[in-house]
Amino acid sequence: MVSESTPLFAKTNIKQPSNTNNNDKRIPLFLFLEAKTPAGLKYESFTIILILISVLTFILSSLFLPEYNTESTIATKCGGQDGNICDAVFFGNYPNNALSFLNIGATSITEIFIVFVFSIDYILRIYTADLIDVKYSGFIGRLQYIPTFFSLVDLASTVPFYVDAFLLPNTDIAASNFLRMFRLLRMMKVEGRFDLALGLIDDVFYAQRGVLGTALFVGMTVWGVLSSFFYLAERKNVDMIYCGGACDAELDTSLCTVDEWGIVDCSQAGCENLDDTEVCWNLYRSIVDSSFWTLTNLFGEFPLIDQHGFWGKILATFTAVFAVAVFALPVGVVASGFEDQIAKRREQLALDVQEVEDTEVEEEFVGDVTTFRGRVYNILHQERSPKAKLRKTFTDMLIIAVAISFIFDSVAGHSSGVVHQILVWFQFFSFLVFAGEYILRMYSAGENPKYRGSGLGRYAKQTVLLIDAFSIFPYLVGLVTLSEVGAGYSLFLLFKIFHVGSTNKAFATFGNVIKEHKDVLTVTGFSAVLLWIFFSSILYYTERDSPDEEMKTYYNTIPNSMWITLLNLSGESPLAHYSSAGKVIVGIIGLFATAVFGIPIGLLGAGFEEHVTNKYEDTPDEEEDVDMRSSRTHRPVGFQMKCYNFVNGIGSKAATRFELSIYFLILTTVSVGILQTIQGWEHFGEKVEWVAVIIFTIEYIIRFIGAGVDPEFCTDSSNGIMARIKYVFSFYSVIDLLAIVPFYYAYAMPLGWVDAHDEYFRMLRVLRLLKLDKYVPSISLIDDVVRLKWKVLYVAGYAATTLLFLFSAAMYIAERGDEEIEIDPLPLYGCVENCYMSDRYKNFFSSVPLTGIHLTGDFPLIEYGSIGRCILFLIVIAAVGVVSIPSGVVASGFAEVVHSKTRGAEENNQGDDWYDIQYRKLEGQAPPPSHFGPDIDALQVKVKVYLDGDETSGECTRTHFSKVGRVLFFSLIISNVVAVVLESVPEVDRAVGNAPGNFFDVFEAISVFFFTIGKSSIYLSYL
């Protein structure tokens, strides 16, 4: 039995219960069960092993069900035959296995033994329950113990077996043995270090409860409203008709019809309804169905984007631009709460987080230069000596050369050619150098007294040595077991890249992050694993019989289900055609589980960013630049100054109007350029383009003339010619030239290369939007951010690039021979039929862009093999958080820059809108008298008290009549929402009918009457 003392992470002192006398003979048994004796600790470890075996056998049992795992050769190896011993020992999938003589249904020896141990354990815990708390004494007290959390966990792990075996022996309670997995929750009972971690989580939700409640309400409202709009936009869209596996996948849905109730009939397309039941249906047939697809959109996923109609695409665009941000508010509030609570905890505990880089040994110690070991120690451990620097430079260059050789070897195709052989021998030479360095490090470490004797083992556990070992020993295994060491084993040599440049220092902070947040990471990480297994198992049962072949393929076993559920928990929805129960589960995953699953990932990423930022934070130099620019003096020069002022809107109304006309013309030409991409509109607005190019040309000439006095290009030491040369090669000048020169070139040479690629150059007009930066700063702000956060971005970007390189190499090795799942044709990859993932990952270069997409957290490709999925699991867990750091740094820097540029606002009013400011002015003032006399004033006060309560005493008090009214109107609002949803269901709508006086019409009329009264009361209170 897993105790509450979390022995896997920390041992607690052995003590007796404080609520009883020392003569109670049950005390040794209690301490044994609570793992507070040496024997109890061993027993607890034993029960943990049993739990892990139980969960593992449950997961693996799904592999041996040939009716679902149809394409696997192992499915029939353990079960299905009468008297099968394998199934009887491990899995218990079939009632006719070797345990059939027991007549208790499908079971196994493993399951029976584990349930027996857990049952005895629970009985003994009931027996000693009063030693935990005196309130559990006696029969009634034991009954009070049963509904406690950990007691329910124990019951959930045992009772289903007895129900399945003795009450319902001819049925199968799904995943009854799986429920024992929740006994692992006992490790997280509030005690020890988890008290702090769980307390932190509780503090986050408590501190943010007000804002979180509002954010949840706003998110749910946005979800409901958009679901209704999507339903109205797509309910008649034949492209949204789906038939599952009932009809031909190539069914022409344009031949289907949708009646007035929303029921689909595809008889003309060759798929007839059965007994008036829809075989095909619209995916947005009701608001209920629409809510699932809208929810996936709000997660940032658009699985049906190519099937949306015009208004559906408008709604999808709005959702992507605005609604997703609103819907993400709850997750953002929780994340912000974690940051605040962690910061408070650090301040309260006065934590002084120091960077401990185990890549270095104490610099004060110097080896004996008269001995060989001492000289070797100084070269390998004293990084500042000339010989040590030379050794470091050589090693770094060799690591980079190994990386380059790996890339070229992937292009060479691993044949027996000369190039391949040369690269293999070079990698072997590198291995000898790396192995020699590792051996010498271990040998020379004894020079330092700190690492002599048992200290050598501690030295070998340092990050640098672990990376070396992980790089060397797998290659050595390949060298011993294979006749030729291929790229599969040379991949491990690439991990030496962590030693190069800033990568070592960047990733050394991971150890500090994990140590600092290990309590929260343990709790949330453990919870994430439980949620992963739990939801994977449920979706396995709900989707393994899906009529959709793709869904059935990815949910035919629990390991396959865990792959897709992992992506769901990371915020992705690669599959969408779930059953009704599956849609509910996926919705729960998106609404709640994703936040829990994302906490450990977010903590790793945020902690990494914090450590890097604290160490490498830049000092803003923008003010200095501004001062330098303002200090430049330039002498006004007649006509040049007039040109400069005119194009910059300075000095006259004409200049201002010209600047505004340029602003308007940029937007117009960009709009024309976009419209010209539509088929049949290629020549739309050509005259507008002519006028715009001429005006832009005139503007450029005027700017060129005025550049001689432009303070950005003209300095005290430069003349007008140099200023104009600087202007021509400046950013905005290049943008202007790219926007106008191709137009003249194409007109002058109509059959030339530019004219042949006119559609590409036409899109250069979009670059004119960048000209607006002169008026509405955008690109220049990004430039300011990069300057502000340059050092942090450099280190974080270096780390992200390193991960991209390593994971690209790993994915190439894993998928270059993957031919498990056939995929769609890949003409761009030279494959038109019988295509597999190996065609996508044919070499390192083809792996880089695909891996880069996955490192951003996006998974448009999911047809991976087992090894590829394991690598992608590591990407989801750790790498995504690190790779996203540069974007997070840019976002925070952007906020800093924008805030610095708007610093002129009053400190107390920052963030206030117009309503807040105006309302604050009215505080303490009596309301003005009504124009209708004192009787109306008194009525207004009564109505106001009825609506908002009486606050004269400092607290809001309500009359019974007011409370009843609030409940009535709240119930009426909810009832109206439910009525609208029900009316959208075709079967309900058809049953009620559209005849005058039907239920929905009458209910709407009653609701409108009461809402009118309510609105009138609100209006009256503000007269």
Side-chain angles (χ1 to χ4, degrees):
M1 182 67 202
V2 183
S3 82
E4 295 81 3
S5 61
T6 63
L8 291 182
F9 308 97
K11 294 183 179 180
T12 57
N13 295 327
I14 299 174
K15 59 182 181 180
Q16 293 185 347
S18 58
N19 59 344
T20 186
N21 60 71
N22 294 334
N23 296 325
D24 195 320
K25 296 180 179 180
R26 296 175 301 159
I27 290 178
L29 176 61
F30 174 80
L31 295 176
F32 173 81
L33 293 174
E34 293 300 311
K36 294 179 179 178
T37 65
L41 289 172
K42 294 179 180 179
Y43 169 71
E44 181 179 63
S45 300
F46 170 69
T47 56
I48 291 174
I49 294 174
L50 290 184
I51 293 171
L52 295 177
I53 291 175
S54 178
V55 176
L56 183 62
T57 54
F58 168 74
I59 294 174
L60 296 179
S61 67
S62 64
L63 298 175
F64 300 97
L65 293 172
E67 59 267 36
Y68 296 108
N69 194 16
T70 57
E71 298 182 0
S72 175
T73 58
I74 69 169
T76 59
K77 301 294 185 182
C78 190
Q81 306 89 8
D82 291 339
N84 188 279
I85 297 178
C86 173
D87 187 63
V89 172
F90 298 108
F91 306 121
N93 283 325
Y94 300 96
N96 62 340
N97 61 27
L99 297 179
S100 59
F101 67 92
L102 297 176
N103 294 319
I104 59 174
T107 188
S108 66
I109 295 175
T110 301
E111 184 177 15
I112 293 173
F113 176 74
I114 293 175
V115 169
F116 173 77
V117 173
F118 289 164
S119 298
I120 298 298
D121 182 281
Y122 185 74
I123 293 172
L124 294 177
R125 288 188 177 275
I126 289 286
Y127 175 60
T128 60
D130 59 316
L131 299 181
I132 300 175
D133 196 312
V134 292
K135 69 180 181 179
Y136 298 137
S137 301
F139 178 75
I140 301 299
R142 298 302 197 279
L143 293 179
Q144 292 178 344
Y145 172 78
I146 291 176
T148 60
F149 176 76
F150 290 104
S151 172
L152 292 176
V153 170
D154 293 340
L155 289 175
S157 64
T158 55
V159 171
F161 170 81
Y162 294 109
V163 174
D164 194 13
F166 300 105
L167 297 181
L168 302 170
N170 297 321
T171 62
D172 179 27
I173 297 180
S176 61
N177 58 342
F178 160 73
L179 293 175
R180 287 194 297 279
M181 179 267 299
F182 288 97
R183 293 174 68 87
L184 290 172
L185 289 171
R186 277 193 159 273
M187 295 168 55
M188 299 169 60
K189 189 173 181 180
V190 181
E191 185 173 324
R193 71 184 65 185
F194 293 124
D195 186 13
L196 180 62
L198 292 174
L200 175 65
I201 296 174
D202 178 71
D203 291 342
V204 169
F205 284 95
Y206 182 80
Q208 304 291 332
R209 64 189 185 281
V211 180
L212 187 60
T214 302
L216 285 171
F217 177 79
V218 172
M220 298 295 287
T221 302
V222 170
W223 180 23
V225 171
L226 280 177
S227 297
S228 302
F229 280 128
F230 271 114
Y231 160 72
L232 294 174
E234 302 293 349
R235 61 188 299 261
K236 298 290 186 179
N237 182 5
V238 294
D239 290 333
M240 286 295 178
I241 294 176
Y242 173 72
C243 299
C247 300
D248 186 4
E250 302 298 328
L251 183 75
D252 185 2
T253 57
S254 64
L255 300 177
C256 300
T257 59
V258 183
D259 64 17
E260 60 179 319
W261 314 110
I263 296 177
V264 173
D265 183 5
C266 291
S267 301
Q268 297 183 11
C271 191
E272 297 184 2
N273 291 342
L274 302 175
D275 299 327
D276 202 28
T277 301
E278 283 182 304
V279 175
C280 301
W281 61 91
N282 188 295
L283 295 173
Y284 288 86
R285 68 193 303 267
S286 68
I287 295 177
V288 176
D289 291 286
S290 175
S291 63
F292 171 74
W293 301 105
T294 305
L295 186 63
T296 60
N297 296 157
L298 289 168
F299 295 156
E301 298 293 302
F302 295 85
L304 304 176
I305 192 61
D306 58 335
Q307 298 171 238
H308 281 295
F310 174 78
W311 289 109
K313 290 179 180 179
I314 297 296
L315 286 171
T317 302
F318 174 81
T319 302
V321 176
F322 300 105
V324 168
V326 175
F327 195 72
L329 284 176
V331 177
V333 169
V334 172
S336 176
F338 264 101
E339 294 177 2
D340 294 340
Q341 292 299 325
I342 289 174
K344 289 180 181 179
R345 184 177 70 169
R346 186 180 296 112
E347 293 176 1
Q348 292 170 357
L349 299 178
L351 293 178
D352 185 16
V353 181
Q354 298 179 353
E355 298 289 341
V356 180
E357 298 178 3
D358 55 11
T359 59
E360 298 179 358
V361 183
E362 296 177 355
E363 293 187 15
E364 290 77 9
F365 183 81
V366 179
D368 186 357
V369 295
T370 62
T371 65
F372 174 74
R373 187 173 71 170
R375 291 192 295 271
V376 172
Y377 178 90
N378 292 337
I379 294 175
L380 294 177
H381 298 87
Q382 295 295 318
E383 300 288 347
R384 297 182 181 180
S385 67
K387 292 183 179 179
K389 291 181 179 180
L390 181 63
R391 189 269 312 165
K392 181 72 168 71
T393 301
F394 171 76
T395 304
D396 287 352
M397 293 179 63
L398 187 60
I399 294 171
I400 295 174
V402 170
I404 295 174
S405 71
F406 178 89
I407 295 173
F408 277 102
D409 198 19
S410 73
V411 177
H414 304 289
S415 62
S416 57
V418 177
V419 174
H420 172 67
Q421 294 299 323
I422 293 175
L423 294 175
V424 167
W425 279 105
F426 173 74
Q427 292 166 2
F428 175 70
F429 165 75
S430 303
F431 159 74
L432 294 178
V433 174
F434 298 152
E437 181 186 14
Y438 179 80
I439 294 172
L440 289 175
R441 276 185 178 276
M442 296 296 296
Y443 163 73
S444 63
E447 184 73 11
N448 190 332
K450 182 179 179 181
Y451 297 120
R452 292 173 184 170
S454 61
L456 187 62
R458 186 172 65 254
Y459 173 76
K461 294 179 182 179
Q462 292 185 359
T463 304
V464 172
L465 275 300
L466 291 176
I467 292 175
D468 287 344
F470 189 71
S471 302
I472 295 168
F473 288 108
Y475 186 93
L476 181 61
V477 171
L479 190 67
V480 173
T481 58
L482 299 178
S483 58
E484 179 183 357
V485 180
Y489 289 92
S490 62
L491 167 68
F492 291 96
L493 295 178
L494 299 181
F495 282 88
K496 290 283 290 185
I497 202 170
F498 284 115
H499 292 313
V500 178
S502 301
T503 308
N504 189 15
K505 296 180 180 180
F507 283 97
T509 61
F510 257 121
N512 297 318
V513 173
I514 294 174
K515 290 178 183 178
E516 183 177 348
H517 302 299
K518 59 185 175 182
D519 47 5
V520 181
L521 284 172
T522 303
V523 172
T524 56
F526 198 79
S527 301
V529 172
L530 292 179
L531 288 173
W532 182 28
I533 300 175
F534 177 72
F535 285 115
S536 299
S537 302
I538 293 181
L539 287 172
Y540 161 69
Y541 281 104
T542 62
E543 305 305 319
R544 64 180 182 176
D545 293 313
S546 173
D548 188 291
E549 287 298 324
E550 185 179 27
M551 298 294 296
K552 185 185 297 185
T553 299
Y554 284 102
Y555 286 99
N556 63 342
T557 66
I558 293 179
N560 281 342
S561 177
M562 293 179 69
W563 162 237
I564 301 299
T565 307
L566 174 68
L567 301 183
N568 293 149
L569 287 166
S570 66
E572 291 292 297
S573 295
L575 302 177
H577 294 294
Y578 290 92
S579 62
S580 298
K583 289 178 180 178
V584 173
I585 298 303
V586 172
I588 293 174
I589 288 175
L591 290 174
F592 303 105
T594 303
V596 177
F597 193 79
I599 289 173
I601 299 175
L603 279 177
L604 284 175
F608 185 90
E609 179 181 352
E610 180 185 21
H611 278 271
V612 174
T613 301
N614 291 339
K615 188 170 184 178
Y616 298 101
E617 185 65 84
D618 295 90
T619 302
D621 56 358
E622 187 176 341
E623 294 183 3
E624 179 182 352
D625 293 341
V626 173
D627 293 339
M628 290 180 61
R629 292 176 185 176
S630 61
S631 65
R632 294 172 182 170
T633 59
H634 56 279
R635 182 184 60 194
V637 183
F639 181 69
Q640 296 182 52
M641 179 57 69
K642 291 180 180 180
C643 291
Y644 172 78
N645 290 337
F646 183 76
V647 292
N648 288 283
I650 302 173
S652 66
K653 292 183 178 180
T656 303
R657 291 171 182 170
F658 179 78
E659 186 180 40
L660 292 176
S661 67
I662 294 296
Y663 190 103
F664 174 77
L665 201 57
I666 291 171
L667 297 176
T668 302
T669 55
V670 169
S671 301
V672 169
I674 293 173
L675 290 173
Q676 287 180 344
T677 62
I678 302 175
Q679 187 175 2
W681 290 52
E682 291 83 0
H683 301 288
F684 174 80
E686 288 186 344
K687 293 182 179 179
V688 174
E689 182 66 18
W690 261 107
V691 173
V693 169
I694 292 173
I695 294 176
F696 288 151
T697 303
I698 295 173
E699 181 208 14
Y700 185 84
I701 294 173
I702 297 175
R703 286 190 180 278
F704 180 79
I705 296 173
V709 294
D710 190 334
E712 185 175 355
F713 308 109
C714 181
T715 61
D716 293 337
S717 60
S718 64
N719 54 35
I721 296 177
M722 291 302 301
R724 291 183 178 89
I725 292 175
K726 292 180 181 179
Y727 167 72
V728 169
F729 292 99
S730 67
F731 174 77
Y732 291 117
S733 173
V734 172
I735 293 299
D736 289 339
L737 292 174
L738 288 175
I740 58 179
V741 170
F743 182 88
Y744 289 116
Y745 189 88
Y747 181 77
M749 303 182 66
L751 299 179
W753 182 85
V754 173
D755 189 51
H757 297 81
D758 177 64
E759 65 273 14
Y760 299 104
F761 285 98
R762 188 183 296 134
M763 292 314 301
L764 288 176
R765 301 170 192 171
V766 178
L767 294 176
R768 293 171 184 167
L769 284 173
L770 300 179
K771 290 163 61 71
L772 299 181
D773 186 75
K774 304 170 186 175
Y775 317 108
V776 182
S778 54
I779 298 298
S780 58
L781 288 182
I782 296 176
D783 175 72
D784 294 339
V785 170
V786 173
R787 294 175 184 272
L788 179 67
K789 301 286 186 179
W790 169 247
K791 291 182 180 177
V792 181
L793 286 173
Y794 172 76
V795 176
Y798 201 103
T801 303
T802 301
L803 286 178
L804 173 61
F805 178 84
L806 288 176
F807 279 110
S808 296
M811 287 302 298
Y812 157 66
I813 294 298
E815 295 298 322
R816 60 177 179 166
D818 180 12
E819 296 184 356
E820 292 185 19
I821 302 176
E822 187 173 349
I823 61 177
D824 295 332
L826 303 170
L828 294 178
Y829 292 81
C831 181
V832 294
E833 61 180 356
N834 298 326
C835 301
Y836 299 92
M837 292 301 285
S838 56
D839 295 299
R840 281 197 173 108
Y841 287 86
K842 62 177 68 176
N843 57 51
F844 175 83
F845 292 105
S846 62
S847 174
V848 171
L850 300 176
T851 308
I853 292 173
H854 294 325
L855 282 169
T856 63
D858 203 4
F859 289 84
L861 307 177
I862 59 174
E863 306 93 344
Y864 289 102
S866 302
I867 299 178
R869 292 179 183 183
C870 293
I871 295 172
L872 290 172
F873 169 79
L874 297 176
I875 288 178
V876 170
I877 295 300
V880 169
V882 178
V883 173
S884 64
I885 289 174
S887 60
V889 171
V890 171
S892 62
F894 194 86
E896 290 181 31
V897 171
V898 172
H899 177 70
S900 68
K901 292 182 180 295
T902 57
R903 200 175 294 165
E906 295 183 16
E907 188 71 21
N908 294 332
N909 293 338
Q910 288 184 0
D912 291 349
D913 57 18
W914 180 88
Y915 178 81
D916 295 320
I917 297 172
Q918 299 301 319
Y919 186 82
R920 193 162 43 246
K921 293 179 180 178
L922 297 176
E923 290 182 353
Q925 299 184 20
S930 170
H931 298 292
F932 302 100
D935 293 336
I936 299 298
D937 287 341
L939 179 61
Q940 282 184 264
V941 172
K942 293 181 180 179
V943 173
K944 184 79 166 84
V945 171
Y946 168 77
L947 294 173
D948 299 331
D950 187 2
E951 299 180 356
T952 55
S953 61
E955 296 183 1
C956 182
T957 59
R958 299 183 181 277
T959 64
H960 292 293
F961 182 62
S962 174
K963 293 178 180 178
V964 171
R966 287 171 62 84
V967 172
L968 173 64
F969 275 98
F970 179 78
S971 302
L972 198 59
I973 293 172
I974 298 300
S975 300
N976 270 266
V977 173
V978 173
V980 171
V981 173
L982 289 176
E983 192 175 9
S984 72
V985 179
E987 290 79 7
V988 175
D989 193 23
R990 184 170 61 178
V992 174
N994 287 332
N998 64 69
F999 170 78
F1000 290 121
D1001 290 346
V1002 173
F1003 182 74
E1004 183 179 9
I1006 296 173
S1007 302
V1008 169
F1009 173 75
F1010 281 102
F1011 288 148
T1012 303
I1013 294 177
K1015 186 66 177 178
S1016 301
S1017 301
I1018 295 174
Y1019 178 73
L1020 179 63
S1021 67
Y1022 286 99
L1023 282 176

